[in-house]
Amino acid sequence: MARDLFQKCREYSDSADARAQGFYPYFRCIEQSYGNHVVCGGEEKIMIGSNNYLGLAQDPRIVEAACKATRQFGAGCTGSRLLNGTISLHNQLEEALASFLGRESALLFSTGFFANQGALAALTEADDIILCDRENHASIIEGCQVAPARLVPYRHNSVDALRNRLKRIPKESGRLIIMDGVFSMSGDMADLPPMVKAAKEYDAIMYVDEAHSLGVVGPQGRGVVHHFGLNDDVEIVMGTFSKSFGSMGGFISGSQEMIEFVKHKARCFIFTASLAPAVVGGVLKALEIMQAEPERIEMLWRNTRKMHEGFQSIGFKIGSTQSPIVPILIGSEAKAFAFAQRLFEEGVFAIPAIYPAVRYGEAIVRTSFMSTHTEEDLDKVLDIFAKIARELGTFDDPAYTEPGRRRNVFDFALPQRSGAEEVRGDSGNSSRNGSELHAAVSR
Ligand SMILES: Cc1ncc(COP(=O)(O)O)c(C=O)c1O
């Protein structure tokens, strides 16, 4: 008899179990958003679980630009960019991004996820190697799995580990090194200068995902690549509009010939509808505001510094973050859920992150801050965190004092395809697909 594809759905009970225990943290419904505050179940909460770093998602000028674009072009483009889905706003935005980032050309994708997937799949071939930081975002890992090239993970932000891998790559293999500019869970900034040096020595292409760094780091928010003055040394800069730009969509940027190739080859660019006029009109306005109002970035950093210091002075471990993403270590998955639930009840909206978003036994409450949070918001958040840590005994918990042991894992995540567990560093066996080449370079 054929396997029943729905059997696993009938057996799946993790989410129902967590709901029954009263701390299911996902799909919380927001009835109204003011950026720094949201309304859920009729109650106002301080939002510290969003990537709206500059508070632009609710900016009336951007909302108006989105409405204007909708009035001019309609609600959607009803087709692929390649065919009937290119409007003048798409071309304008690509030119504006290329000029903002000092690149020859840029190409929009319907999401940042697609931008990574499309570029990696189009640009690599079998026997090429993608060297991937173990803490890279899921869209990069997914992109590596769709790409014909082989994925070779290296230790997070370690140039020694990267060099070790590069040394073993067969001479004829193409190689691409990919990393988040600011890592989405730890908030760490990529250690770009030595990585770029290694890339040059080993003839590798550099690809930096600036999802969490545009609008946050570098002059006028131009990202980590500009922060380090390495724009001429990084061939591909990718970004999203779902964070500082306050909207959705993504892009890659680089040489004109690379973009020309990808726009004719990337399947998730060609076989999907283009970004809606409202999105593109809004993002164009956001880019203008980001450059005209640098005080937003200053406020964001003032708030960020306050929260780094504030959490640490209470006794929380915040890892090595260098950004507005502040991971609050809890350790145990169950306690991270309980912590987030108590936060919500006290009026703070933040989400726990568990494996595979972070390592087993190193569950966090992921917090992220905005330029539009007030001093009062931030003081209140710190007080509430301190109160809940006392209440739950967080600092005395062995799961906190010795994180990294697997305890009481809630497995909400969908099963990972082979390779994903290896990227997060939980598997000693790195020979994905049994490939000798892969095993040789990733040992
Ligand atoms: C580092 C990184 N890259 C890519 C993405 C995907 O972006 P998008 O939300 O536009 O699909 C994200 C989203 O969370 C991200 O954090």
Side-chain angles (χ1 to χ4, degrees), residues 270-326:
I270 295 172
F271 296 104
T272 196
S274 59
L275 281 171
V279 170
V280 194
V283 172
L284 266 164
K285 185 51 100 181
L287 183 57
E288 192 187 307
I289 295 173
M290 200 182 276
Q291 292 171 84
E293 299 177 3
E295 61 275 15
R296 287 177 177 273
I297 302 179
E298 283 162 30
M299 286 297 288
L300 174 65
W301 279 97
R302 201 201 64 178
N303 287 349
T304 298
R305 280 190 291 273
K306 177 181 169 81
M307 295 315 277
H308 286 186
E309 285 162 21
F311 280 123
Q312 282 175 310
S313 71
I314 296 169
F316 285 106
K317 294 179 191 164
I318 62 168
S320 44
T321 178
Q322 293 166 279
S323 73
I325 299 168
V326 190

Side-chain angles (χ1 to χ4, degrees), residues 48-114:
I48 57 162
S50 117
N51 302 306
N52 184 13
Y53 298 116
L54 301 177
L56 292 177
Q58 289 72 28
D59 190 291
R61 295 165 293 179
I62 294 174
V63 174
E64 181 47 37
C67 293
K68 189 169 164 227
T70 304
R71 283 193 291 272
Q72 187 177 354
F73 293 99
C77 297
T78 64
S80 155
R81 284 290 300 284
L82 185 78
L83 306 173
N84 62 311
T86 295
I87 58 173
S88 52
L89 294 179
H90 291 125
N91 295 336
Q92 269 175 44
L93 180 55
E94 285 172 345
E95 281 163 27
L97 285 166
S99 142
F100 178 60
L101 294 174
R103 327 273 311 161
E104 275 178 27
S105 201
L107 182 67
L108 303 179
F109 284 77
S110 301
T111 65
F113 194 104
F114 275 171

Side-chain angles (χ1 to χ4, degrees), residues 111-113 116 137 139 180 182 184 209 211-212 238 240-243 249-250:
T111 65
F113 194 104
N116 280 331
H137 186 257
S139 59
D180 292 8
V182 163
S184 58
D209 175 335
H212 293 278
M238 173 271 175
T240 65
F241 309 130
S242 59
K243 327 277 181 213

Side-chain angles (χ1 to χ4, degrees), residues 16 32 40 104 117 129 230 255 275 377 407:
Q32 177 78 48
C40 299
E104 275 178 27
Q117 185 176 309
I129 304 283
L230 292 171
S255 70
L275 281 171
D377 289 338
R407 293 178 177 84

